[in-house]
Amino acid sequence: MNNKRIAPLELSAEEFKTLGYNLVDNISGFNNTIVDKPVTKGENPKQIQEILGDHPFPKNSMPADALLNKATDLLFNHSLFNGHPKFMGYITSSAAPIGALADLLASTVNPNVGAYALSPMATEIEKQTIQWLAEFIGVSSNYGGVLVSGGNMANFTAFLAARASIANKNIKEEGLGSLKKKLVMYCSKSTHTWIDKAAILFGHGTNAIRWIATDNDNKMNLEALELAITTDIIDGHEPFFVVGTAGDVSTGTVDNLEGISEICKFYNMWFHIDGAYGAPANILPELKTTFKGIKEADSIAIDPHKWLYSPLEAGCTLVKNPKHLVDAYSSHPEYYNFVTESSEHNFYEYGLQNSRGFRALKIWLMLQQVGRKGYEKMISEDIELSKLLFKLSNDHPKLEAITQSLSITTFRYMPTKISKHIKDKKAYINELNEALINNLQQGGKVFVSNAIINNNYCLRSCIVNFRTSKKDIEETIDIVVKEGEKIHKRLQLGK
Ligand SMILES: Cc1ncc(COP(=O)(O)O)c(C=O)c1O
């Protein structure tokens, strides 16, 4: 073998520059023209598979420029664009362009942010990012934490820390079976599905979840919460974990966090906040009352890939006393010789992952690129647009506005006249709105998702999109009404 090894994966400096400049040109062009494209072409899986082609794993090398051009074409022409100004579905944000550049830089250095020794600067950047995220959402910067892939993982990470904190040694060494009492957890009916997954995967079973009723305003009913806790105590169980949701996935409602924290303190329970979507809105001075009590949380999940506009994937678990994370996750196999000095922070001891990528860089850069003021502006504008959508649908004779909270609006198409032969009008309106959403999601003009509110099938728009404008909202109203009219006509004719 020569002194200089030539590996098939290596790219010469010149090749790398040519490929990179070309790709960056294409990306810049894409960002600048995204508004002219449909949100999606609505191609079905079969069409997508045909476009991709059914090729076997290639035996020989292929030229990198052709490969990158092909990948660019496939993705730019056959994707759903959550960076499109009229993408308002689910809770996925438009991605900050600086995040794409950050990912390129992060992959180039490729630090393994599991251990300090493998990632000294990247670890410090992640620590600083976590501290800034705590400041961002208005809790003490003494909260510690870890970056994870998204909201589910951020909630799981906190859940396991909570569990370890109440029965540390027993659970770690003897497992759940050694506990004398059954651990029970509480959350409102609007809680995201992560709680089911946690109960199932971490050995509690879904019967350990107490789904607490919500009030008319969709917040957890605190009397029902307390009643459920006391009933469980009488029944010999151990209530240990309450979830307050700060921005529920369907309507954006924020629970009474202060009230939940008082109950948790009284019964000596862990208070967790799922702020995956909504917590960043606490940056706005006018929303401080809505989020009152957030500072009392033992743990908080937030998702920079939602309302901080980070490219996927980016979630974060914050814990008031970070020692609980270490208690839950730290282990020292013999083949690790990482010194755990107090100055050396090994992230593998703070969460489920061992080897970890450098997620922090994109968030760290975004937070500095626009600062507190920039985020206040973007988040408050998203909320204003959501309120505008509510108002316009409320004012429109063929729409019904249902709810508005944070940047989520729910509304539905309401025909002014329904044929007499349709007996169950409520079911018909649900059917109409379900068909309307399917149609909109395929059509590519605007992308909204759905919510079921009081058994009503609604359109749901969540604006975590710094590209959406007032014009997009006005046009959305027109699109929804036109499509609604078409579907109504079709359904009335029984087609
Ligand atoms: C309140 C809430 N929690 C958790 C999640 C799950 O987040 P992810 O999809 O990033 O895992 C979501 C997703 O929308 C959410 O809205």
Side-chain angles (χ1 to χ4, degrees), residues 91 150-152 155 192 194 245 247 249 274 276-277 303 305-306:
I91 315 187
N152 265 26
N155 285 303
H192 186 271
W194 70 265
T245 298
V249 61
D274 179 5
Y277 155 56
D303 247 359
H305 70 207
K306 293 189 167 63

Side-chain angles (χ1 to χ4, degrees), residues 81-258:
F81 302 128
N82 48 32
H84 191 286
K86 286 202 183 65
F87 178 83
M88 307 171 199
Y90 303 104
I91 315 187
T92 308
S93 60
S94 49
I98 201 169
L101 298 173
D103 276 347
L104 180 63
L105 178 57
S107 310
T108 302
V109 180
N110 200 28
N112 185 336
V113 200
Y116 193 90
L118 302 177
S119 58
M121 182 49 79
T123 297
E124 292 301 338
I125 288 178
E126 180 160 342
K127 275 170 61 192
Q128 192 167 68
T129 304
I130 288 167
Q131 189 190 321
W132 287 350
L133 288 175
E135 287 176 43
F136 191 119
I137 63 159
V139 301
S140 157
S141 55
N142 292 331
Y143 274 70
V146 61
L147 293 182
V148 295
S149 57
N152 265 26
M153 286 304 295
N155 285 303
F156 293 165
T157 304
F159 178 86
L160 292 174
R163 197 175 78 175
S165 84
I166 58 120
N168 193 5
K169 234 174 173 296
N170 282 346
I171 287 192
K172 264 189 139 172
E173 289 165 9
E174 304 295 336
L176 275 183
S178 65
L179 298 180
K180 292 198 178 66
K181 294 180 177 182
K182 175 177 162 151
L183 296 178
V184 189
M185 57 201 96
Y186 305 80
C187 63
S188 93
K189 289 214 174 339
S190 316
T191 305
H192 186 271
T193 56
W194 70 265
I195 188 87
D196 291 284
K197 272 198 183 173
I200 296 165
L201 294 171
F202 304 135
H204 299 265
T206 49
N207 288 342
I209 308 174
R210 304 287 181 257
W211 296 97
I212 307 299
T214 47
D215 292 329
N216 287 340
D217 56 5
N218 204 31
K219 291 177 198 268
M220 188 196 282
N221 180 305
L222 298 192
E223 278 175 23
L225 170 65
E226 207 163 352
L227 180 63
I229 294 172
T230 48
T231 308
D232 278 323
I233 294 172
I234 292 165
D235 289 347
H237 302 320
E238 180 158 355
F240 88 107
F241 187 77
V242 184
V243 185
T245 298
D248 92 276
V249 61
S250 290
T251 65
T253 303
V254 180
D255 276 331
N256 176 350
L257 304 177
E258 193 181 31

